[in-house]
Structures are given as structure tokens and as C-alpha cells.
Amino acid sequence: MHCGTKDGTAEREKSPFLNLGDSAQYVGMDQCKSCHQNIYDTYIQTGMGQSFGMATRQKSAAQYGPHSLVYDSLNNYYYFPFWAGDSLFIREFRLEDGDTVHNRVEYVSYVIGSGQHTNSHLTNLHGFVYQAPITFYTQREQWDMAPGFEGGYSTRFGRIIGHECMTCHNALPKFVQGSVNKYEAVPTGIDCERCHGPGSLHVKAKLAGNLVDTSKHADYTIVNPAHLSKEEKMSICQRCHLQGVAVLNEGKQFDDFKPGMHLSDVMNVFLPRFSNAENDFIMASQADRLRMSPCYQKTDMTCTTCHNPHISVKVTSHAQFNTACTNCHGGAKAVTKLTCSADMAKRKAVNDDCSGCHMPKSGSIDIPHVNISDHYIRKHYEKPDVHLSVDQATKVKQFLGLQCMTKENPTETDMANGFLHFYESYSSRPYLLDSAENRLLRGNFGQEKLLTAVHLYFLKENYNKVVEYAAKYDIKTINDPWTLYRIGEAYFRLGNLPNAGQYFNKAVTVNPYNLDFLNKKAAVQFGQKDANGAKQTYESILRIQPAYEPALVSLGFIYMTDGKTQQAAKLLDKAIALNPDYDLALINRAELYFYTADYQQSADMVFKILKKHPGDERAKSLLQKLAGKTVLN
């Protein structure tokens, strides 16, 4: 499917706004407030202004007490949020026969979400930010599993809050380059410069006395979205309200987008389309739904036609929203003189609430327990009997294809990347990879397609094909860290450890704080009999992130093979305390118990493993060794 917006590269090169240039710097909302106090006072109460904050009692919209207990029945964990003084914690525990057999408590650093719909919770573990497994749903006034954690898919305290997520729910954080989710500093809330661009030139001009009468002229030291084209205005909103599959352009990062640009300058966003699914939408899809509306397609309408971004929707009356409708449909300068065809009694019953009828509230398919306005403006609307998730829709509805929302004429490589990221993010249907391959093989193959080809065949688990493409190019010319990692992993799976090591080493050089990259580097070192090198790499991982479970287990194993039982036990016990279902940690600990002649403890752990995985070969082998050592219960 083709895209719905224009590229406009030449037009953007002529932008008169000076703060699109590299010389403009971000100054922070406090600097804006010093001159725009009245706007700040109302904006800070909006959903954007309240989008992110420290975990304080004032910030939290949740209710606490015995009723706050959440049970994840599919993974058998209980969760309980509680305050200790002014600090918020979440306790995770497991019960067996009434006894607590697992207890983990994590400090909550941040609350994400304005509280209009939800409050979710983030932990900051040594600078690495993760989402906690439970959310408070304010409209229902209840705690439940966080979005995406239900249905057995909980990652507990391990869901990474990456750059894309953080830069949509917040101002621009100080992201640690070369990491996935490590931050030096995190601001609190979406600020003025997310919509107006960096403010240093504007501040400098005002302090120098260079004032502009903005009632007559535009002030080009800072972006005023009112002076942008329709697509440029929409790009600002779509940066966060066009939720879908976002694919960065090569060499770009999520914070490279500035107001006044088109979103396609930095990334492309793709959305899946299904048959008979016009009523299904995801939470942050307002821009997509609006674009589907005749009102948008036939006029100069944008998001700000109805919304004043400086004023909270909570204090904006229905009458004000409905005025936007009557301005087009009933006023003296109306686009059309259409009148409401509904029965007068029905109209009176809802006080002629145009937006309430034509943009009714409904549940989203990705966030439970919420109701939001559907921004697909239609004459007739019928609520669906049931909402399907994107993954469910790929199974039971006809998949029509991906639509690129940011380019009118995407390249074949653009579309292939869209299919690959959709496969990874939403639904692992094999036909999505086939669609990507079909797109990739069209036209000439150049190095610009290498990243896509490696990604495709890596997901297809065709590792021979991955290394075939990799062999076409000198490793020195490849700088994309994930491409380097995938090539390294392909060589690793094929048993070629020397080549795997080269690519993992470079991936680590490019992304030195990517824990998974470091972990693979250590695995190759160990596989090449360089136990000391592997030990040093695992230790470096744990200096960066002491709670990284794979490094705890692997380093514990190295200590165990070296006969350093106390050090091994300490590391393995910590890993199990973090994750009592970590199979490799459990079997290594069982073997360590056996090695130290604690046969009953070893047997207990083996039975625990076999209860979950009856065919586990290491556990069965250890059970045979235990047969003559202890009474097996």
C-alpha cells in the first residue's frame, strides 16, 4: 500500500525558521516560563505537561491499600504497590502452600502517564530504565497488569524503556549513546520545545531586545506551528500520536526530529490494515484516525483545529469542541451547510453534542480498561462487539498490507523495513517476512540494502544467507550496531566463533553499553576457551548493570568451574532471587549444590526444574547422579 503524505524535501530546505539549524540548543521549560508564565500555568496541567514525573504521592493518581493486589495467574506472581514514607515500591512475590517462596521489591523511580487514563511505573536500575509490571487504570480506578504484560507476556521488571518510548512520553532525556535504555538524566514531562523547537536563538534574541510583533509578523527565531504547512503541523502531532511501527532512517535517532521538519526526514511510520477493522484502533492513533476522516481530507483541518495544546482537555468544554464542527458545517462561512439528520429528541438528549456522536469514546485494542475518543469522524458509527489486538487480527482477519504514513512514495527498501519491524513488534506471521523479501529483491541490490537483507534473513533464521550478504562488504564499512550483532550471531549459530567475535567486538565498540552485545562477546570468548577474557567481560557488564541476569549466571558458572564455590553461589542466588524461573540459573545452582555435597537442596531444585520441563536433559542427568546420594522425595 502506498503512503499518504508528501515528502517535500526541497520545500523544507527553504524553511525560514532559524532554530531548525544545528546551532540552536534546547534551553528547558523553565526558561520558557520566565516570559510565558500564563501559558505555562495552563499547559503544565495538560496531558502532555503531566506525561511524566518522579514517583511522588502528588504525581500518583493511584489508590493504594489491600485492594491494590494484582495476581498474574499465568506466571504465578503477585504484585503489591505500597509507599514507605515518600518512596513508592512494588513487591513481587509467589506463594506455595501459603508460604512465600519468592519475594522481590523494586523502588519505583518514575510515574509515566498523565493520570487521565493510566499511571504506569518505571524503575531506574543503575541508570537503566525499565517498566514495572503493573499499571493503575484511572478510569476504572483499578490496578492490573500493565499494557502488553497480560496474557502470559509479562517481562516482569525487564521491559526496556528505549529512546523511542522515552522521547514520546517526555521531553528530550540525556540518553547515553551506545546503550538501549540508559539515561544520564530524565526530564519530567513533555515541554515547550517539543512543539516549538530548541529555544536558544529565541532567548538570545529577546535578551538582546530584538522583539517581534507576532500579531503582524512571524518570529523566525522559534517555530510557531501556526505558520507551518498542514503536513508540517501534523508531523509535530504525529511524532507521538501516530503510534505504529517506527523505522528510523539510517544514521538518525528519535530525538533528531524538530518542529518544522517532516517526520519522514527522521523516520517512517507504518500501520497494518485489515479487512472489516475500521472500528479497531490503538491508543495513540489519533493522527491516523483523523486522516481517515472526510473532514480532514476535504479541508485544511489539523489537530489544532479542535485542540488548544496549551489547555487541558479536562477543562475544555464539549461546546468548544462542537464549535469547531459548526464552524465548518453551520456558520456563515461554512464549508458545507449540512445539518444534523438525527431525530430532534435524540439531539436534545445529548445537548447537540456533535463530537460525542461522531467521535464516540471506545476502548483501544492495545490498552485495557480505557475509553478514548475515536478521532475517525464519521456520519454513522457502530461500536464493535469485540476489539482484537493487532496480533489477533493477523490471525483471524484478512491482512491487506502495511501503509506508510509518512511518505507518498516509499522505496521498496522502506517497505521491506516496515514489514520486518512489524514482524518483530506486533505479529510473527511468516507471510510478513515473505512480503519483506519480495520487496527487497525488487530492483538493484546495493549496500544500502545490506542492513535490510541481514535483518530479513536473520529473522528467517537463514544464517548462511546472512553471512553470504555480509561477506560482500568489508566489516570496516558497516557501522550499524544491530547489523553487526545479527551478522555476529549468524556466525555464532554456524559455529564460526572467530568471525562471530569480530562482529560482536565491533558491535560493542559502536554500542558499549548494550548489555546483550557485551553478553554475546563474552559467550564467544568463553567458547574460544578464553575463560579469563569472558570473566572480565561479564564483570564489566555487572559493573554497568549489577542486575543483568545472564551475566550473573554465566559468571557464576565460570566461578563454579574454577572451584570458587562461594563466589558462584552468591552470583547464582542473586540471579534466582531476581528471576526464580530462570532455568539456566536453576540447573547451574542445582549442580553447584551437588558439587558441594548439599544433595537434598540439589534434588529439590532438580524436581522444581523437571516439574516445569520434564524433558530437561541436564536435570535428568543430575537426577541420576543424585539417586545414590540422597532420599528423593
Side-chain angles (χ1 to χ4, degrees):
M1 299 181 70
H2 66 277
C3 295
T5 61
K6 293 183 178 180
D7 229 347
T9 302
E11 180 181 331
R12 292 193 297 284
E13 291 174 351
K14 301 176 183 178
S15 175
F17 290 102
L18 303 176
N19 66 333
L20 266 67
D22 293 338
S23 62
Q25 304 297 315
Y26 292 94
V27 298
M29 189 155 57
D30 285 343
Q31 184 73 64
C32 305
K33 179 175 67 172
S34 64
C35 290
H36 301 282
Q37 183 72 51
N38 291 340
I39 293 175
Y40 170 85
D41 288 342
T42 58
Y43 173 77
I44 200 64
Q45 302 302 321
T46 67
M48 291 185 290
Q50 293 291 315
S51 61
F52 196 99
M54 303 301 294
T56 63
R57 291 178 185 268
Q58 181 181 9
K59 171 59 181 170
S60 178
Q63 299 173 1
Y64 298 87
H67 64 281
S68 303
L69 186 68
V70 176
Y71 181 49
D72 179 1
S73 60
L74 295 176
N75 292 296
N76 190 25
Y77 289 107
Y78 289 91
Y79 295 97
F80 185 70
F82 66 95
W83 291 93
D86 291 327
S87 297
L88 179 60
F89 296 88
I90 293 176
R91 183 190 306 279
E92 174 190 76
F93 62 97
R94 175 177 284 171
L95 301 176
E96 287 184 8
D97 300 323
D99 294 327
T100 301
V101 295
H102 165 70
N103 185 59
R104 176 179 177 180
V105 177
E106 292 293 347
Y107 170 70
V108 176
S109 300
Y110 312 109
V111 171
I112 185 169
S114 66
Q116 294 183 20
H117 302 102
T118 65
N119 272 175
S120 287
H121 305 84
L122 307 182
T123 63
N124 185 333
L125 302 177
H126 311 282
F128 293 84
V129 179
Y130 305 90
Q131 183 172 356
I134 57 174
T135 288
F136 184 75
Y137 297 90
T138 53
Q139 291 175 324
R140 296 281 186 89
E141 296 185 342
Q142 75 176 76
W143 287 89
D144 204 346
M145 299 302 293
F149 283 72
E150 63 274 69
Y153 293 106
S154 174
T155 50
R156 301 170 56 240
F157 294 96
R159 177 185 283 178
I160 286 172
I161 299 298
H163 207 194
E164 177 183 6
C165 179
M166 187 67 81
T167 53
C168 261
H169 286 277
N170 210 341
L172 300 177
K174 290 185 179 179
F175 179 67
V176 176
Q177 297 299 326
S179 76
V180 179
N181 64 319
K182 185 174 175 62
Y183 303 89
E184 291 180 358
V186 179
T188 55
I190 297 168
D191 64 13
C192 312
E193 292 170 298
R194 294 304 306 277
C195 296
H196 295 281
S200 63
L201 299 180
H202 182 68
V203 171
K204 183 178 180 180
K206 300 317 127 188
L207 292 177
N210 299 325
L211 306 180
V212 177
D213 183 352
T214 54
S215 67
K216 298 178 181 178
H217 308 285
D219 183 348
Y220 290 111
T221 62
I222 196 160
V223 169
N224 180 345
H227 298 296
L228 298 177
S229 69
K230 180 176 180 176
E231 281 303 327
E232 288 166 344
K233 290 178 186 177
M234 290 299 293
S235 284
I236 296 174
C237 303
Q238 288 173 168
R239 172 60 185 89
C240 297
H241 292 275
L242 183 61
Q243 183 182 355
V245 180
V247 182
L248 285 170
N249 297 341
E250 187 175 355
K252 295 294 185 180
Q253 300 187 64
F254 286 104
D255 56 7
D256 286 337
F257 174 78
K258 296 178 182 179
M261 300 169 66
H262 283 224
L263 201 55
S264 59
D265 293 338
V266 175
M267 70 189 79
N268 287 311
V269 180
F270 300 85
L271 286 171
R273 298 304 188 196
F274 301 95
S275 60
N276 302 315
E278 67 175 10
N279 292 324
D280 297 333
F281 60 92
I282 52 184
M283 183 75 169
S285 63
Q286 294 92 337
D288 172 45
R289 302 296 283 179
L290 181 62
R291 284 183 174 278
M292 296 167 63
S293 310
C295 292
Y296 176 88
Q297 295 169 356
K298 296 179 181 180
T299 71
D300 290 330
M301 182 183 192
T302 65
C303 302
T304 54
T305 301
C306 301
H307 288 280
N308 180 345
H310 296 147
I311 305 292
S312 172
V313 294
K314 293 189 294 185
V315 298
T316 303
S317 67
H318 277 288
Q320 185 168 329
F321 288 124
N322 292 334
T323 297
C325 302
T326 57
N327 284 343
C328 280
H329 293 287
K333 297 181 180 180
V335 174
T336 173
K337 295 290 185 178
L338 289 176
T339 57
C340 185
S341 59
D343 178 82
M344 186 57 70
K346 182 179 179 181
R347 289 173 57 183
K348 287 183 177 180
V350 296
N351 296 317
D352 265 342
D353 184 7
C354 309
S355 59
C357 286
H358 298 281
M359 300 173 63
K361 290 186 179 297
S362 179
S364 71
I365 63 176
D366 59 332
I367 310 291
H369 312 311
V370 300
N371 278 292
I372 59 173
S373 296
D374 184 357
H375 283 63
Y376 180 12
I377 308 168
R378 287 170 280 175
K379 183 175 181 180
H380 300 292
Y381 182 92
E382 295 182 5
K383 288 188 177 182
D385 293 330
V386 62
H387 275 304
L388 297 177
S389 70
V390 175
D391 187 48
Q392 290 169 331
T394 60
K395 299 174 184 177
V396 301
K397 292 190 176 185
Q398 182 182 0
F399 176 65
L400 302 177
L402 282 185
Q403 182 175 2
C404 176
M405 305 303 297
T406 45
K407 269 188 185 178
E408 187 173 313
N409 297 301
T411 66
E412 299 292 0
T413 305
D414 288 335
M415 294 305 300
N417 284 325
F419 279 108
L420 295 177
H421 283 76
F422 180 61
Y423 176 90
E424 285 188 305
S425 302
Y426 287 102
S427 181
S428 54
R429 304 288 106 192
Y431 62 77
L432 296 171
L433 297 183
D434 294 339
S435 295
E437 186 171 34
N438 181 265
R439 298 279 187 168
L440 181 69
L441 295 179
R442 296 177 188 175
N444 297 324
F445 189 95
Q447 186 165 1
E448 73 280 357
K449 286 190 175 184
L450 172 65
L451 277 63
T452 308
V454 167
H455 195 180
L456 167 66
Y457 293 112
F458 180 81
L459 292 178
K460 278 180 167 281
E461 299 182 7
N462 187 341
Y463 302 121
N464 285 307
K465 200 75 171 178
V466 171
V467 300
E468 176 187 327
Y469 277 107
K472 297 177 184 290
Y473 302 96
D474 190 326
I475 188 174
K476 295 177 182 178
T477 67
I478 305 172
N479 293 304
D480 178 71
W482 282 102
T483 300
L484 292 163
Y485 171 80
R486 291 174 184 126
I487 295 171
E489 184 67 13
Y491 277 119
F492 186 83
R493 298 290 182 92
L494 294 171
N496 188 333
L497 296 187
N499 278 356
Q502 288 186 57
Y503 283 93
F504 286 140
N505 286 338
K506 185 169 183 184
V508 167
T509 300
V510 178
N511 270 23
Y513 294 100
N514 188 310
L515 305 178
D516 293 338
F517 291 3
L518 285 163
N519 191 55
K520 293 304 298 191
K521 174 184 175 179
V524 170
Q525 290 173 313
F526 189 77
Q528 292 181 303
K529 311 301 182 184
D530 182 10
N532 189 54
K535 177 184 173 183
Q536 291 178 2
T537 302
Y538 286 129
E539 287 173 341
S540 70
I541 294 173
L542 294 175
R543 283 193 295 271
I544 298 169
Q545 172 52 292
Y548 186 71
E549 297 163 13
L552 290 168
V553 174
S554 297
L555 185 57
F557 181 80
I558 290 175
Y559 279 131
M560 185 169 69
T561 57
D562 287 344
K564 298 178 179 179
T565 57
Q566 290 184 339
Q567 294 97 316
K570 183 178 179 180
L571 291 166
L572 293 171
D573 287 343
K574 183 175 181 178
I576 293 169
L578 290 168
N579 184 357
D581 296 325
Y582 195 166
D583 294 332
L584 188 58
L586 293 171
I587 189 62
N588 284 349
R589 190 64 178 98
E591 291 183 343
L592 182 59
Y593 278 129
F594 182 87
Y595 181 79
T596 56
D598 193 342
Y599 302 125
Q600 189 60 56
Q601 287 271 43
S602 181
D604 291 344
M605 195 153 283
V606 167
F607 284 127
K608 181 178 180 179
I609 297 168
L610 291 174
K611 182 178 180 181
K612 184 179 178 183
H613 302 293
D616 189 291
E617 292 299 329
R618 285 183 67 184
K620 289 193 294 183
S621 175
L622 184 54
L623 187 63
Q624 291 180 345
K625 295 178 183 179
L626 283 162
K629 301 292 185 180
T630 185
V631 177
L632 301 181
N633 298 318

